[in-house]
Amino acid sequence: MSNIMINLSHKTYPIHIERGLIDSIGKEIKKIYGGNKIAVVTDSNVNSIYGQKVEDNLKSEDYNVKTFVVEAGEKSKSVNVLLNLYDELLDFGVTRGDLIVALGGGVVGDLTGFAASTTLRGIPFVQIPTSLLAQIDSSIGGKVAVDLPKGKNLIGNFYHPEAVFIDPNVLKTLHKKFLHDGMGEVIKYGAIKDRKLFDTLLSFNGDEELLENIDEIIYTCCSIKKEVVEKDEKDKGDRMMLNFGHTIGHAIEKYFGYEKYTHGEAVAMGMYKITKNSEAMGITEKGTAELLKQILIKYSLPFEVEALDKSKVLNTIAMDKKNDRDRMNIILLNKLGEAFIKNIDSKLMENYI
């Protein structure tokens, strides 16, 4: 088992990475939780594959377990689903001494984490991420949120789990589209912080070789996120660099009603679009956008979006939670492996999309 410790001023928690970990999840949770009641939150897709296995595993350790299932997809990260989840948790009789488990991808992790942070002013929870995107990004660092009609993650909190349990074997059941969705975020890590990771990903001969090396890739991405989060937990400085591609990506997701593109696909297009434009301005090293394009094509990710109304995208970006009055921070590359934060007048954002 590979272990990474997140060390914050107010909290320390482990990330455990091991193949087959989900088969002994009850024993692992027993090491950190001595209570009786566990509420598991998952989605309809994950529940059909792992729900019963996790519930039975927890019950084998004499826990009183109840599983709550939400519909799979971004639309479950909404206030209405959140309100329903509050009711179900309270009907189950959860207290601040109990435990909530988020079993699923980024949507489940964000929704469950926010519910845990706000129910009874805070109930401990753990993350069992089942998608690549969640394993290397959204389950780590304490960002939890739900969406509003005006945009993604506009109601949120910083609330860290007690532990993150990552089983790379669960990725074998992922549809290729969602494996590649996660690769959007993996590529982001290479682009902003680790040229060696970027080049390694570019060198793989297909998904089979990728999955053979996925443990090391997950460990590398989690280590990068650990370093960034420990320096800047509340997203006021270096942590903003993890948003490379996200300002435009979130706007693309909303523009198409969270139906046409996955998060990783939208981030992929956001990374390419902003880099292509910053390169044209002489900010980014020549050839960077072309390498990004090559790696996105390699992992079946889109790099350009058609029929985009620029004015509507700018209106969505104007609602971004990272904006500060009439200015905003955007993330650009000097070159691959080296990102920086640029503070611009919001009116200039048009030049980057």
Side-chain angles (χ1 to χ4, degrees), residues 41-52:
V41 183
T42 189
D43 70 34
S44 50
N45 289 344
V46 174
N47 186 58
S48 66
I49 305 171
Y50 297 111
Q52 196 62 53

Side-chain angles (χ1 to χ4, degrees), residues 17-299:
I17 307 168
E18 183 180 18
R19 290 183 182 266
L21 187 58
I22 203 165
D23 296 322
S24 58
I25 197 64
K27 287 183 172 60
E28 293 301 323
I29 287 179
K30 200 78 170 177
K31 295 174 185 177
I32 62 169
Y33 172 58
N36 171 256
K37 189 173 285 186
I38 297 180
V40 178
V41 183
T42 189
D43 70 34
S44 50
N45 289 344
V46 174
N47 186 58
S48 66
I49 305 171
Y50 297 111
Q52 196 62 53
K53 173 185 279 193
V54 168
E55 185 170 314
D56 290 347
N57 206 282
L58 293 171
K59 285 180 176 176
S60 72
E61 298 296 324
D62 297 322
Y63 288 120
N64 177 12
V65 183
K66 186 165 184 181
T67 300
F68 304 96
V69 182
V70 301
E71 185 180 346
E74 184 73 28
K75 290 189 175 180
S76 282
K77 221 173 94 172
S78 69
V79 173
N80 286 340
V81 174
L82 175 68
L83 292 175
N84 186 57
L85 181 56
Y86 285 145
D87 283 342
E88 291 183 324
L89 290 170
L90 293 172
D91 286 345
F92 183 45
V94 295
T95 71
R96 291 169 71 175
D98 295 323
L99 183 72
I100 300 175
V101 171
L103 172 67
V107 169
V108 166
D110 279 4
L111 170 70
T112 306
F114 188 74
S117 75
T118 48
T119 303
L120 306 177
R121 296 195 177 94
I123 295 173
F125 85 114
V126 301
Q127 292 266 19
I128 307 176
T130 59
S131 70
L132 178 58
L133 188 150
Q135 289 183 349
I136 56 95
D137 193 69
S138 61
S139 68
I140 305 154
K143 280 188 178 180
V144 295
V146 293
D147 303 336
L148 289 177
K150 291 185 180 294
K152 283 194 68 165
N153 301 328
L154 292 180
I155 303 176
N157 203 351
F158 290 92
Y159 193 70
H160 295 270
E162 303 305 300
V164 181
F165 298 102
I166 297 173
D167 182 350
N169 281 350
V170 304
L171 301 179
K172 294 176 183 176
T173 60
L174 269 187
H175 189 282
K176 293 293 185 188
K177 178 180 177 69
F178 294 103
L179 176 66
H180 295 149
D181 170 55
M183 287 304 296
E185 292 283 2
V186 174
I187 291 164
K188 174 199 76 177
Y189 280 110
I192 65 170
K193 284 281 187 181
D194 193 331
R195 178 62 190 265
K196 182 181 176 183
L197 172 62
F198 188 95
D199 290 341
T200 298
L201 298 172
L202 201 53
S203 73
F204 286 152
N205 292 312
D207 291 344
E208 187 175 338
E209 188 174 0
L210 168 69
L211 288 170
E212 286 172 1
N213 293 275
I214 202 68
D215 305 59
E216 184 178 348
I217 291 165
I218 292 170
Y219 184 87
T220 298
C221 293
C222 290
S223 296
I224 292 171
K225 187 146 192 185
K226 161 196 161 68
E227 178 186 343
V228 172
V229 169
E230 287 177 352
K231 277 186 191 173
D232 176 30
E233 181 193 356
K234 296 295 177 71
D235 213 7
K236 301 293 185 184
D238 279 3
R239 187 168 180 174
M240 290 183 193
M241 287 193 285
L242 297 176
N243 293 317
F244 177 53
H246 284 60
T247 298
I248 296 174
H250 283 167
I252 290 171
E253 284 183 272
K254 182 177 184 296
Y255 185 88
F256 291 102
Y258 304 105
E259 292 179 346
K260 185 170 183 178
Y261 298 108
T262 65
H263 176 71
E265 289 170 341
V267 167
M269 290 184 283
M271 290 190 293
Y272 177 73
K273 184 171 282 290
I274 204 165
T275 301
K276 184 180 179 182
N277 288 323
S278 66
E279 188 177 316
M281 295 177 200
I283 297 170
T284 301
E285 183 177 81
K286 286 191 179 300
T288 302
E290 179 59 30
L291 283 170
L292 268 174
K293 179 179 175 180
Q294 288 179 26
I295 201 168
L296 295 176
I297 291 171
K298 184 180 191 72
Y299 291 102

